[in-house]
């Protein structure tokens, strides 16, 4: 309904008659309402055509009905997701921070999708514990021309993933996994130090003698400098081990400026820092960062420390550990705050996803651990879960990082053998082709030298002589039996 000057009312059904009326009086009275109606009609039509994604004139010109167009659109493939799954990832695996669980998640994803891995050149699961990572440490690494310009976005060189223990060195790692997302994990320095102390058997290495009721950690902190010099295996984990794994040199452990400078640098260079105490929350953030599915981040704890090899930590001992690992404390507290800031930015759906993920973990654990066995690792005082459910799904979930590394290495060796065999056969074929070409070329050169008139005449005379000799031999063979037959009587 359209009202003009609050006097007359024009119904939509009467618009066409009013529009066709040529009387100036009626036109002037309805001009404002007609203009408004026209703009409204154009606006509605533009919205309708934009939803159809094709001008109406196109359909009329090409004699296409709207029913056929709508039917064709129902058969269109689904639209691509807003993000694509990440397939270039560097996981900087620090010691005793749930790195094995995270590493197996990444290895399972990459191995089942036939992605390439940067693994140690030596047959070990660790690159090097006591120096910076180098690209030459990688198995089957070849130098490539590195492009840093934005237009070279989708490089085909390099590896897809790197998950083994290594000391952080960004330029060398970028040369191995270009344009990768960087992830690492941290743990409360008190718990991480206690776990590393047991795992590397520092009590035995440091030759700490205790009574049954004495805590070896307390004895260690009576003279930490004295005992640390005796430790060789895991020596870099004696103090600020997490900071060292992230590339921080030990001579700066007591320099507050360098510590905070390094932390700011790591915040810029790492896309996500997982906190072990909030492991599930961190995995939800990782799922969103990688654009993965829920099943891609499933895990089952595999190596659980024996309860008999856990030290009680008093408040005084806790304070000693924090002071001894001051750089790790600052690092952990900074990225713990960063984690919760990202969770807050995630939104309310974060907690819904977290609840669904934990329910899924319970279901999968009960499914795969049915009938499993626990094997004790007396060297590192660990309880290792052995598979009970033999399905591929559970087998992939419970496989250890070392087992994945061995499978990846074997796959790479088979691929290398096939490439070597193919290249060898191709080289042999090329050499044979070169030999044949050489023979053909030599024959052609001989023929080209025999094209002179003199050689032609010489060849003609030689051929005639040969023919005469052959003819004489044939005649002799024919005449001999006849003569013998005549002379015999």
């Amino acid at each position: 309904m359209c009202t003009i000057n609050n006097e007359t009312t024009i119904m939509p059904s009467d618009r066409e008659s009013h529009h066709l009326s040529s009387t100036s009086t009626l036109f002037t009275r309805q001009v404002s309402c007609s203009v408004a109606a026209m703009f409204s009609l154009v606006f509605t039509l533009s919205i309708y055509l934009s939803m159809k994604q094709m001008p109406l004139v196109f359909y009329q010109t090409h004699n296409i009905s709207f029913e056929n167009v709508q039917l064709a659109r129902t058969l269109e493939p689904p639209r691509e997701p807003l993000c694509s799954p990440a397939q270039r990832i560097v996981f900087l695996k620090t010691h005793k921070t749930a790195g094995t669980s995270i590493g197996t998640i990444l290895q399972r994803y990459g191995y089942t999708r036939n992605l390439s891995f940067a693994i140690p050149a030596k047959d070990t699961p660790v690159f090097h514990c006591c120096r910076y990572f180098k690209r030459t440490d990688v198995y089957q690494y070849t130098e490539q021309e590195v492009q840093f310009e934005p237009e070279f976005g989708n490089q085909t060189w390099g590896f897809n993933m790197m998950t083994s223990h290594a000391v952080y060195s960004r330029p060398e790692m970028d040369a191995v996994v270009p344009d990768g997302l960087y992830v690492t994990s941290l743990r409360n320095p008190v718990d991480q130090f206690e776990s590393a102390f047991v795992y590397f058997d520092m009590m035995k290495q440091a030759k700490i003698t205790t009574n049954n009721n004495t805590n070896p950690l307390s004895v260690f902190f009576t003279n930490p400098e004295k005992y640390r010099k005796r430790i060789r295996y895991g020596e870099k984990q004696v103090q600020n081990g997490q900071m060292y794994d992230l590339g921080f040199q030990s001579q700066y452990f007591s320099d507050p400026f360098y510590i905070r400078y390094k932390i700011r640098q790591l915040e810029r260079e790492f896309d996500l820092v997982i906190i072990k105490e909030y492991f599930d929350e961190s995995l939800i953030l990782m799922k969103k960062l990688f654009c993965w599915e829920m099943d891609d981040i499933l895990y089952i704890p595999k190596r659980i420390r024996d309860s008999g090899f856990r030290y009680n930590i008093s408040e005084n001992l806790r304070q000693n550990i924090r002071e001894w690992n001051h750089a790790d404390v600052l690092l952990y507290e900074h990225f713990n705050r960063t984690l919760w800031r990202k969770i807050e930015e995630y939104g309310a759906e974060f907690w819904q996803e977290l609840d669904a993920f934990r329910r899924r973990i319970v279901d999968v654990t009960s499914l795969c651990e049915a009938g499993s066995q626990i094997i004790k690792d007396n060297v590192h005082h660990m309880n290792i879960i052995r598979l009970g459910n033999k399905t591929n799904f559970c087998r992939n979930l419970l496989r250890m990082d070392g087992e994945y590394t061995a499978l990846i290495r074997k796959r790479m060796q088979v691929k290398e053998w096939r490439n070597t065999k193919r290249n060898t056969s191709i080289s042999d074929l090329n050499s044979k082709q070169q030999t044949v070409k050489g023979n053909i070329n030599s024959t052609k050169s001989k023929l080209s030298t025999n094209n002179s008139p003199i050689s032609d005449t010489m060849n003609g005379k030689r051929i005639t002589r040969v023919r005469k000799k052959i003819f004489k031999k044939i005649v002799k063979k024919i005449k001999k039996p006849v003569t013998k037959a005549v002379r015999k009587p």
Side-chain angles (χ1 to χ4, degrees):
M1 182 177 291
C2 181
T3 304
I4 303 176
N5 297 329
N6 296 327
E7 295 179 359
T8 60
T9 301
I10 301 174
M11 298 299 294
S13 60
D14 298 330
R15 286 177 186 169
E16 185 176 358
S17 61
H18 284 286
H19 181 68
L20 297 175
S21 178
S22 59
T23 57
S24 59
T25 304
L26 190 60
F27 178 81
T28 55
R29 293 177 58 190
Q30 296 180 355
V31 62
S32 59
C33 184
S34 299
V35 171
M38 182 178 63
F39 277 107
S40 176
L41 181 61
V42 171
F43 180 74
T44 305
L45 183 61
S46 63
I47 294 176
Y48 178 75
L49 293 179
S50 64
M51 294 175 64
K52 291 292 183 181
Q53 299 179 354
M54 190 71 73
L56 180 61
V57 179
F58 179 86
Y59 299 125
Q60 294 176 350
T61 306
H62 295 79
N63 194 19
I64 301 175
S65 64
F66 280 107
E67 291 78 11
N68 293 336
V69 174
Q70 291 174 352
L71 177 61
R73 282 180 181 149
T74 58
L75 300 178
E76 288 181 356
R79 294 183 179 180
E80 295 183 358
L82 297 178
C83 60
S84 57
Q87 294 189 345
R88 286 192 180 270
I89 301 168
V90 175
F91 173 56
L92 199 287
K93 188 177 180 181
T94 53
H95 288 82
K96 313 313 298 174
T97 59
T100 298
S101 298
I102 303 168
T104 52
I105 290 173
L106 301 176
Q107 288 174 320
R108 182 181 72 243
Y109 181 91
Y111 181 76
T112 55
R113 289 162 178 79
N114 200 26
L115 300 181
S116 59
F117 281 82
I119 61 175
K122 298 181 180 179
D123 193 8
T124 60
V126 181
F127 281 107
H128 205 285
C129 66
C130 304
R131 63 165 173 80
Y132 289 123
F133 169 81
K134 293 182 180 179
R135 70 189 86 172
T136 54
D137 297 335
V138 177
Y139 179 59
Q140 292 185 0
Y141 174 78
T142 56
E143 291 289 345
Q144 300 286 347
E145 182 180 359
V146 182
Q147 303 286 354
F148 290 102
E149 290 76 7
E151 55 266 28
F152 298 96
N154 297 322
Q155 291 97 336
T156 58
W157 53 272
F159 296 88
N160 292 110
M161 289 188 177
M162 175 177 166
T163 60
S164 300
H165 275 297
V167 180
Y168 182 58
S169 176
R170 186 57 179 260
E172 295 292 316
M173 292 180 176
D174 280 343
V176 174
V177 183
D179 294 335
L181 294 173
Y182 278 73
V183 179
T184 190
S185 59
L186 298 177
R187 186 179 181 181
N188 188 316
V190 176
D191 299 329
Q192 190 271 343
F193 179 80
E194 187 266 343
S195 179
F197 191 88
V198 176
Y199 182 83
F200 293 106
D201 204 0
M202 295 183 184
M203 171 184 170
K204 184 177 180 180
Q205 291 191 74
K207 299 179 181 180
I208 297 175
T209 56
T210 61
N211 299 324
N212 294 330
N213 297 327
T214 306
N215 191 333
L217 282 173
S218 300
V219 177
F220 175 85
F221 281 104
T222 58
N223 194 345
E225 292 295 342
K226 169 188 172 182
Y227 290 116
R228 73 175 300 174
K229 294 178 182 179
R230 301 176 181 178
I231 298 173
R232 292 292 177 264
Y233 176 55
E235 59 177 322
K236 300 300 181 180
Q237 297 301 312
V238 178
Q239 185 180 19
N240 294 312
Q242 299 177 84
M243 203 68 163
Y244 177 82
D245 287 338
L246 290 170
F248 194 63
Q249 298 179 4
S250 57
Q251 60 264 33
Y252 300 117
F253 282 169
S254 58
D255 192 324
F257 171 79
Y258 272 101
I259 293 173
R260 298 188 182 279
Y261 183 87
K262 181 64 176 181
I263 292 173
R264 289 196 299 269
Q265 178 188 357
L266 294 173
E267 184 177 12
R268 292 191 303 267
E269 295 181 354
F270 276 82
D271 299 280
L272 177 65
V273 176
I274 294 172
I275 301 299
K276 195 265 182 184
E277 284 74 16
Y278 307 103
F279 191 67
D280 293 346
E281 291 86 345
S282 300
L283 290 183
I284 296 297
L285 295 178
M286 189 179 78
K287 180 181 77 71
K288 181 179 180 181
L289 174 65
F290 292 166
C291 192
W292 285 3
E293 300 296 333
M294 186 74 74
D295 282 0
D296 296 332
I297 61 171
L298 292 177
Y299 71 95
I300 295 178
K302 304 170 185 64
R303 303 179 67 176
I304 303 173
R305 187 152 47 115
D306 194 341
S307 59
F309 290 89
R310 295 179 183 272
Y311 297 129
N312 295 323
I313 300 177
S314 63
E315 190 60 34
N316 185 32
L317 180 58
R318 181 179 298 273
Q319 187 61 30
N320 290 334
I321 295 175
R322 287 177 60 88
E323 292 177 358
W324 178 252
N325 298 278
H326 177 65
D328 275 2
V329 170
L330 295 179
L331 177 73
Y332 175 81
E333 290 178 348
H334 175 85
F335 283 105
N336 188 23
R337 292 190 299 267
T338 303
L339 175 77
W340 288 103
R341 185 175 69 247
K342 290 184 177 182
I343 291 174
E344 184 178 357
E345 294 172 355
Y346 197 105
E349 63 273 14
F350 174 85
W351 303 107
Q352 299 174 2
E353 290 192 30
L354 180 62
D355 291 339
F357 176 61
R358 284 175 171 168
R359 289 195 300 268
R360 179 69 172 146
I361 287 288
V362 172
D363 295 339
V364 168
T365 303
S366 61
L367 172 66
C368 294
E369 288 189 355
S372 299
Q373 296 179 351
I374 297 179
I375 299 176
K376 289 186 176 293
D377 179 5
N378 294 324
V379 177
H380 299 108
H381 313 296
M382 293 285 182
N383 293 329
I384 302 175
I385 300 175
R386 287 304 178 190
L387 185 66
N389 192 324
K390 299 294 183 180
T391 60
N392 288 333
F393 176 77
C394 293
R395 190 186 301 274
N396 291 333
L397 274 175
L398 283 171
R399 189 171 281 137
M400 299 290 293
D401 55 347
E403 295 173 338
Y404 269 117
T405 303
L407 290 174
I408 293 167
R409 187 182 301 276
K410 184 177 180 180
R411 177 184 286 179
M412 294 174 70
Q413 289 172 348
V414 171
K415 188 175 181 180
E416 183 182 23
W417 176 79
R418 288 177 179 174
N419 292 335
T420 303
K421 186 176 180 181
R422 180 173 58 85
N423 294 333
T424 303
S425 61
I426 291 174
S427 62
D428 292 341
L429 180 61
N430 291 333
S431 62
K432 290 180 181 179
Q433 289 178 352
Q434 292 296 331
T435 304
V436 173
K437 287 181 180 180
N439 295 334
I440 294 173
N441 292 332
S442 62
T443 305
K444 287 182 178 180
S445 63
K446 290 179 180 179
L447 292 175
S448 62
T449 56
N450 294 331
N451 289 334
S452 62
I454 299 174
S455 62
D456 289 341
T457 56
M458 295 297 293
N459 290 333
K461 291 179 180 180
R462 184 171 59 83
I463 291 171
T464 53
R465 288 197 300 269
V466 171
R467 285 178 178 176
K468 287 180 180 181
K469 290 180 179 180
I470 294 172
F471 180 76
K472 288 179 180 180
K473 290 180 180 180
I474 294 172
V475 171
K476 286 181 180 180
K477 288 181 180 180
I478 294 174
K479 288 182 177 181
K480 281 181 180 180
V482 176
T483 55
K484 287 180 181 179
V486 173
R487 293 176 182 178
K488 189 173 182 180

